[in-house]
């Protein structure tokens, strides 16, 4: 079946540091890939998505590229801010089923 | 605002009781999903409905049930509540006009005391 594996957290960085959160997946066919973010005390928000190989999703300075050859969808940001502190979930949808990774808690210190 | 509406936002109830969580999907979305998020178990898929019919079942306890009504809103019923059922319950929806994206509501916080 489909599965998503995320880099284990928690991750703690200083403000303006470079961020990478790794995500790899196993799926049949050609799933769409997503990053969701959950800020403290809030629900899940869609951060970005990519629907086919080599697509790059981007939003709020975050980027992720759909890499079919490495089955990866790593999340990156060049300069993180304190307000980026949240839990990040990688996910895929295939045959209308959404499968999540375990989530990575990110804390940014000023 | 994702367009998915969940009520109530917060609920406190006693063990052994029964509660109903309600979800209104985005306009035009036919699929509704329910997820449970607890502190120690991450996001657990419970159940999915498509146009009124159950489509997929995940880690849903027998004490829990759900349904999707003709107007496409959905309800998740939790009965014989236990302390361990305390969690954030998410509803999500998708459909033919959602670009294969699943949108989440803000969740219903359930505390069992």
């Amino acid at each position: 079946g489909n599965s998503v594996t995320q880099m284990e957290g928690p991750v703690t960085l200083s403000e303006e540091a470079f961020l990478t959160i790794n995500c790899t997946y196993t799926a049949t066919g050609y799933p769409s890939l997503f990053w969701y973010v959950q800020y403290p005390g809030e629900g899940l928000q869609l951060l970005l998505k990519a629907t086919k190989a080599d697509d790059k999703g981007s939003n709020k300075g975050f980027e992720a590229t759909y890499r079919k050859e490495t089955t990866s969808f790593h999340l990156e940001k060049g300069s993180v801010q304190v307000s980026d502190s949240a839990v990040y979930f990688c996910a895929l949808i295939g045959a209308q089923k959404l499968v999540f990774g375990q989530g990575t808690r990110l804390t940014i210190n000023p | 605002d994702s367009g998915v509406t969940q009520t109530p936002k917060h609920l406190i109830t006693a063990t052994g009781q029964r509660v109903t969580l309600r979800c209104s999907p985005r306009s035009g979305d036919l699929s509704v999903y329910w997820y449970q998020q607890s502190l120690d178990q991450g996001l657990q898929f419970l159940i999915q409905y498509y146009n009124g019919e159950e489509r997929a079942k995940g880690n849903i306890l027998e004490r829990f049930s759900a349904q999707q009504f003709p107007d496409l809103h959905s309800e998740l019923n939790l009965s014989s509540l236990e302390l361990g059922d305390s969690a954030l319950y998410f509803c999500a929806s998708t459909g033919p006009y959602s670009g294969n994206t699943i949108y989440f509501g803000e969740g219903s916080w359930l505390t069992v005391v």
Side-chain angles (χ1 to χ4, degrees), chain A residues 32 34 36 38 49 96 98, chain B residues 33 35 37 99-102:
Chain A
S32 293
F34 304 84
Y36 285 87
Q38 185 176 28
K49 71 174 186 179
Q96 288 216 331
L98 186 63
Chain B
Y33 303 76
Y35 283 82
Q37 185 180 36
N100 208 29
T101 297
I102 294 182

Side-chain angles (χ1 to χ4, degrees), chain A residues 2-102:
Chain A
N2 297 340
S3 67
V4 175
T5 302
Q6 267 183 252
M7 168 180 174
E8 288 193 18
V11 174
T12 302
L13 296 172
S14 298
E15 205 164 22
E16 298 183 3
F18 184 86
L19 168 71
T20 300
I21 301 178
N22 290 338
C23 170
T24 57
Y25 67 91
T26 302
T28 54
Y30 302 95
S32 293
L33 302 174
F34 304 84
W35 278 99
Y36 285 87
V37 58
Q38 185 176 28
Y39 298 103
E42 297 185 12
L44 284 168
Q45 299 177 25
L46 177 66
L47 181 59
L48 54 84
K49 71 174 186 179
T51 57
K52 61 183 187 298
D54 299 325
D55 265 2
K56 178 185 282 188
S58 61
N59 186 24
K60 299 182 180 180
F62 290 90
E63 292 183 341
T65 301
Y66 190 143
R67 301 283 189 204
K68 190 169 183 300
E69 64 276 11
T70 54
T71 62
S72 65
F73 193 54
H74 304 323
L75 183 68
E76 296 183 336
K77 186 173 185 181
S79 176
V80 292
Q81 306 300 313
V82 172
S83 57
D84 294 326
S85 297
V87 181
Y88 293 81
F89 292 91
C90 185
L92 69 83
I93 184 168
Q96 288 216 331
K97 283 191 181 180
L98 186 63
V99 176
F100 282 96
Q102 68 270 39

